[in-house]
Amino acid sequence: NAIVAKRPMAMRYFASTYGKNLPTCLQAVKHTRAIKYVHTSLLHHRDSLLQLVQVNGLVLRHVSIESALLKDAAIVMAAVRQNGLALQYAAETLQNNVSIAMAAVSQDWRAHKFIGKNPRKNGYIQVLVMFKGKKVLRFKLELKRQQSIAQYTNCSIITVNE
């Protein structure tokens, strides 16, 4: 356990022993390449998956596509808050979710590539996302969601009237 904490890639040698051990896996997934050594039983259990994605959102990549957990809004929100690019592994319905899309883009502006069509085209106001002074994304957003945007701070999110 201490070895994995210092060197996450050591999981490849200890996967059979520690792959089902959640505390050890929480240390290991800090290194993205070590995720593949986490046992699938942890990836398909809601509580353990939620803890894992809070450490590394890209854990979603290793969850089975058929899993209902990819449709769980709380898990996907935790994942995209940790790593916005985790949005690409979420179910399509959650890629269309405005709150999740904004959280992903706020964490990593490159996540805009994985936003579903609905947040971009449907709505009442135009949103402009700035990152390091450059416009990176512009899409429409429902007016009622405007209040929840302020909580995301990594990017400057500016509303633009049409």
Side-chain angles (χ1 to χ4, degrees), residues 1-153:
N1 195 1
I3 294 171
V4 173
K6 288 183 180 179
R7 296 187 176 246
M9 283 306 295
M11 271 296 282
R12 67 179 157 214
Y13 305 113
F14 302 111
S16 60
T17 307
Y18 293 115
K20 293 182 182 180
N21 183 307
L22 183 60
T24 303
C25 290
L26 287 170
Q27 291 294 320
V29 299
K30 290 177 182 176
H31 192 289
T32 302
R33 290 190 338 221
I35 296 170
K36 62 185 170 187
Y37 301 110
V38 174
H39 195 270
T40 56
S41 63
L42 293 178
L43 297 176
H44 292 94
H45 184 264
R46 186 183 190 283
D47 295 334
S48 60
L49 181 60
L50 185 57
Q51 290 179 52
L52 288 166
V53 298
Q54 288 172 339
V55 174
N56 188 335
L58 296 178
V59 168
L60 284 186
R61 176 181 183 188
H62 297 276
V63 177
S64 172
I65 294 172
E66 298 87 32
S67 176
L69 294 173
L70 292 178
K71 297 177 184 174
D72 186 311
I75 289 174
V76 172
M77 181 61 88
V80 300
R81 282 185 174 161
Q82 196 286 322
N83 187 322
L85 298 177
L87 185 63
Q88 65 189 300
Y89 306 112
E92 188 175 345
T93 56
L94 294 180
Q95 289 175 345
N96 287 327
N97 181 297
V98 173
S99 297
I100 290 174
M102 291 304 299
V105 170
S106 296
Q107 199 287 322
D108 189 328
W109 67 269
R110 297 172 298 172
H112 77 277
K113 300 174 195 168
F114 309 111
I115 295 175
K117 295 176 183 172
N118 289 344
R120 290 191 198 166
K121 296 182 180 173
N122 297 334
Y124 302 104
I125 63 171
Q126 189 84 284
V127 173
L128 177 66
V129 178
M130 304 289 289
F131 183 74
K132 295 186 180 179
K134 297 180 181 176
K135 180 181 89 169
V136 293
L137 180 62
R138 178 183 228 145
F139 62 91
K140 291 183 179 182
L141 183 67
E142 292 177 85
L143 190 57
K144 64 184 178 181
R145 300 282 186 182
Q146 188 175 8
Q147 292 78 21
S148 65
I149 294 171
Q151 65 185 331
Y152 308 116
T153 58

